[in-house]
Amino acid sequence: TFSVKMQRERERDRDRELGLRKVFLRLYKSDADVRGACNAAGASFVVGLVTTLSWDILSMAFFATLGVVLLSALTHARKTSHNPIIHVQAAFLGFTMGSSLLKGGISSHPHYSIFSLYVFMLCMFHFSEFLITALTNRRALQSDSFLLNHSVAYWVAAVASWTEFWIEAYFFPRAKTHFLLQLGLVVTLAGEALRKLAMIHAGTGFTHRLAIAKRPDHRLCTSGVYAYFRHPGYVGWFAWCVGTQIMLGNPLCTLAYAAVSWKFFADRIVDEERDLIHFFGDEYREYQAEVPTGIPFVAGYV
């Protein structure tokens, strides 16, 4: 029955979570792409810290150092026959995480601290997407797994949020408060954690692109965070999107992100569930009847 099946799924999830550390160590030793991405990000993170201590982040020296880091990552990848795109993206994210983390910690200007922490969380999201994909679904791992090339609309929305932040910081500096930063950080971290748990619990069933055909090993995950939401990955990303705008204290982009993200996930859930019902039939219908989608006012495919 359904409850017995869910109990077995929970036991599998516990075993999977306990084995993640071993999986990572094995991947790091044997997988050139994973090892190269981690090494590039780690080394660039340290360089980013040192560079931010030495120069202002808007100086020519700072950007020159970033250029050298990216060129070094590209050269090393080509020499070792690794994927150069993965190396360069990992190096960029590592350098940016290091510089933004330090800038946020040492800056006496509250607006720089808020924006730097936001940038750190943004980069962490993209790097962790690659890393968790490597741990849970290695065959789906590719340079696109960082999601840095998600879509033009994604980066247009990001630039719009940066623009709103600095315009409002100039004209309404008191509107950017540490209370909003802390509140947004809690929402962002909760969304990030939920999405990554969804990736871990779903394993090879979690992909960044909709599956158009059922694979032989494709199973319906109904335990872990999937026992509470049918689409915890989307719920987590939705919370993360809204949380980042609360962090920045952006009232316009908070509303816009919530509305646009809701519409995007509402449409995507319908498309995905249409395929899931085709793949799993009554098994998915039963699950659908017992567990909500997780996105407010989104019923899914009927």
Side-chain angles (χ1 to χ4, degrees), residues 37-297:
C38 291
N39 290 346
S44 301
F45 180 87
V46 175
V47 175
L49 291 173
V50 175
T51 304
T52 307
L53 278 174
S54 305
W55 295 294
D56 185 86
I57 60 171
L58 297 179
S59 67
M60 290 297 295
F62 179 87
F63 287 106
T65 305
L66 173 58
V68 171
V69 166
L70 299 181
L71 183 60
S72 299
L74 179 63
T75 303
H76 181 266
R78 286 179 172 174
K79 284 183 178 179
T80 54
S81 300
H82 296 166
N83 189 324
I85 301 177
I86 287 178
H87 272 235
V88 170
Q89 290 183 96
F92 172 77
L93 291 172
F95 183 89
T96 308
M97 281 191 285
S99 58
S100 61
L101 182 63
L102 186 63
K103 184 65 176 178
I106 66 175
S107 177
S108 58
H109 197 294
H111 296 151
Y112 283 122
S113 298
I114 292 171
F115 194 77
S116 295
L117 184 55
Y118 156 79
V119 171
F120 177 80
M121 293 302 300
L122 180 68
C123 292
M124 271 297 298
F125 169 81
H126 286 285
F127 185 75
S128 62
E129 284 290 307
F130 176 88
L131 189 59
I132 299 299
T133 301
L135 289 173
T136 60
N137 193 6
R138 177 58 185 89
R139 68 183 175 193
L141 189 71
Q142 52 189 331
S143 57
D144 291 348
S145 298
F146 288 104
L147 296 185
L148 287 173
N149 60 342
H150 179 274
S151 66
V152 174
Y154 177 83
W155 288 110
V156 168
V159 172
S161 73
W162 306 341
T163 304
E164 181 185 352
F165 175 83
W166 288 111
I167 289 176
E168 291 174 353
Y170 181 81
F171 289 103
F172 312 104
R174 294 185 180 180
K176 308 298 182 182
T177 67
H178 278 280
F179 169 76
L180 288 176
L181 172 66
Q182 293 163 2
L183 175 62
L185 183 60
V186 170
V187 176
T188 302
L189 288 173
E192 172 79 341
L194 180 59
R195 179 169 173 82
K196 296 313 184 277
L197 283 172
M199 297 174 72
I200 291 170
H201 288 162
T204 57
F206 192 103
T207 57
H208 286 133
R209 297 178 181 178
L210 292 179
I212 59 176
K214 183 181 178 182
R215 300 185 309 275
D217 63 341
H218 195 173
R219 64 181 179 84
L220 179 60
C221 182
T222 59
S223 64
V225 290
Y226 286 87
Y228 305 99
F229 309 117
R230 296 206 303 271
H231 301 278
Y234 296 156
V235 178
W237 201 350
F238 180 79
W240 182 88
C241 288
V242 176
T244 57
Q245 297 313 298
I246 297 175
M247 284 178 63
L248 293 175
N250 288 347
L252 298 179
C253 279
T254 298
L255 294 175
Y257 270 51
V260 173
S261 298
W262 183 92
K263 181 65 168 61
F264 173 79
F265 290 125
D267 293 341
R268 190 175 176 95
I269 284 172
V270 169
D271 292 338
E272 184 170 324
E273 291 198 336
R274 184 187 297 113
D275 291 333
L276 288 170
I277 290 174
H278 177 68
F279 295 163
F280 299 103
D282 289 339
E283 184 182 7
Y284 190 81
R285 292 181 188 278
E286 185 179 356
Y287 172 62
Q288 192 181 37
E290 295 193 17
V291 180
T293 62
I295 303 289
F297 309 110

